Structure formats: C-alpha cells, structure tokens
Amino acid sequence: MASLFDSIKSYSVKPSKRKGVTVDEQLYYIKKVEGISPTFGYGSVLEIGCGNCLLPISLSRLRGVEVIGIDEWTEFPTREEANHYVKMFKADVALVEALIPLPFRDSSFDTVFAFLIFYAMKREKRREVVEEAKRVLKPNGRFVLVDIERGVKKDVNMKEVYSSSDQGVYITVFTNEKQ
C-alpha cells in the first residue's frame, strides 16, 4: 500500500484524519466488506463516523444503495469536502452533521456500519454508539464493525454472525436478532 503522502497525491479524495489510514487502505477494506456483503445484503444503510465518505460512496456506486453518512467533521475532511466528494462521484449519499444521540427513529436501518472508528473512541463512547446503533437497527438488522483492534468487539454485545481478519483489520458482522 502507498504511503499517506502518495495516497494524498494520487487521489482526489483526502484520507480521513481520524481514521488514520490511507485512501488505498480504506479502498482495500471496502473491497473486503463488499466480498462478504452477499451473506447479508444491505437494505437501508447508515455509516457512523463516515469522514471522507468513501464507504457510503462505494456502496452507492457499486450496489445502488442509498446511504446516510453521519459525522461531526471536527477534523479534515470538512463537511464541505465530504459533500464535494459525494457530488464528484454522483453518489446517492445524504450527509448528516451529528453523532450521538443518532437523530433517527427507532428501527430505521437494515445495516449500520462503524468503519475504522472504534479504536479511536473511548470505551464509554463505543458503548453509546453501539446502543444507538441497536436502537436504529430494524429487527434482524446488521451492525458491521471494521476496525484494527480485536478488543473493540467486546463492547458490541450483540450476536456475532461473521468474522474475518486481514492485515490486522477485523471485519465483524453482528445481528440484533429479536427473540
């Protein structure tokens, strides 16, 4: 994979500072997520902490899925840059500037993503995010956690239905199956 400097120069999209990975790395793991998607599909999608919106843009462009990306955009890229990327790629992505509590009704989404953000959060914040993700997930919805630290899975407290790892990044799919 390219260095951060090479990644910045070779793409029209800036890497998200908070995620701490290059655009190349983000795209690589997006392809990994794409590889497991036939096992659960998408439906209505929310990405929490979407940053530069590469995952929502990819899902919109490759899968024809409408995605809502939510973030606070306190670091680069800015919300204006994220909006620019969405328009540049003509993606069906709506951006919402907020975070916790999630400004959505209960049972609003089939799939919620947390893509490379948990490792940078304090444990209490992770738990808040998970509780909010559970709240906005539809019955039998999927919470997809992509992160670099295996230990963050302990904070999810949902039924794990899929797990894999690649180069130190873990992709785990949980369900909020209703009993």
Side-chain angles (χ1 to χ4, degrees), residues 2 21 26 32 51 80 92 97 100 118 122 132 139 155 170:
V21 298
Q26 279 187 274
K32 290 290 183 182
E80 292 74 31
D92 192 5
E97 190 161 3
I100 303 301
F118 263 36
K122 293 184 178 184
E132 281 296 290
D155 295 325
Y170 298 89

Side-chain angles (χ1 to χ4, degrees), residues 111-136:
T111 307
V112 175
F113 282 91
F115 188 80
L116 297 169
I117 62 164
F118 263 36
Y119 75 95
M121 288 182 181
K122 293 184 178 184
R123 176 166 265 164
E124 300 80 38
K125 184 74 162 184
R126 287 183 208 156
R127 289 182 180 143
E128 286 180 63
V129 170
V130 169
E131 288 307 309
E132 281 296 290
K134 287 180 188 178
R135 183 184 65 76
V136 300

Side-chain angles (χ1 to χ4, degrees), residues 22-157:
T22 67
V23 171
D24 290 322
E25 290 167 325
Q26 279 187 274
L27 293 173
Y28 178 81
Y29 291 110
I30 288 168
K31 287 179 185 174
K32 290 290 183 182
V33 167
E34 277 291 305
I36 65 160
S37 64
T39 63
F40 64 88
Y42 291 115
S44 52
V45 177
L46 171 68
E47 185 191 2
I48 298 171
C50 62
N52 60 13
C53 298
L54 283 182
L55 178 64
I57 289 167
S58 295
L59 293 174
S60 171
R61 301 270 303 162
L62 298 173
R63 295 285 181 174
V65 175
E66 182 180 336
V67 184
I68 296 178
I70 189 165
D71 207 323
E72 292 175 322
W73 288 285
T74 56
E75 300 173 350
F76 75 83
T78 64
R79 182 175 179 172
E80 292 74 31
E81 287 171 315
N83 270 322
H84 171 74
Y85 302 149
V86 168
K87 289 177 186 170
M88 181 173 66
F89 290 105
K90 299 179 175 96
D92 192 5
V93 176
L95 301 180
V96 176
E97 190 161 3
L99 208 49
I100 303 301
L102 295 173
F104 306 106
R105 292 186 177 134
D106 294 358
S107 303
S108 297
F109 298 95
D110 296 297
T111 307
V112 175
F113 282 91
F115 188 80
L116 297 169
I117 62 164
F118 263 36
Y119 75 95
M121 288 182 181
K122 293 184 178 184
R123 176 166 265 164
E124 300 80 38
K125 184 74 162 184
R126 287 183 208 156
R127 289 182 180 143
E128 286 180 63
V129 170
V130 169
E131 288 307 309
E132 281 296 290
K134 287 180 188 178
R135 183 184 65 76
V136 300
L137 275 171
K138 293 179 181 176
N140 300 314
R142 301 289 193 235
F143 179 67
V144 182
L145 175 64
V146 180
D147 225 303
I148 61 171
E149 184 184 328
R150 186 179 184 104
V152 300
K153 289 173 34 170
K154 291 184 277 185
D155 295 325
V156 175
N157 195 26

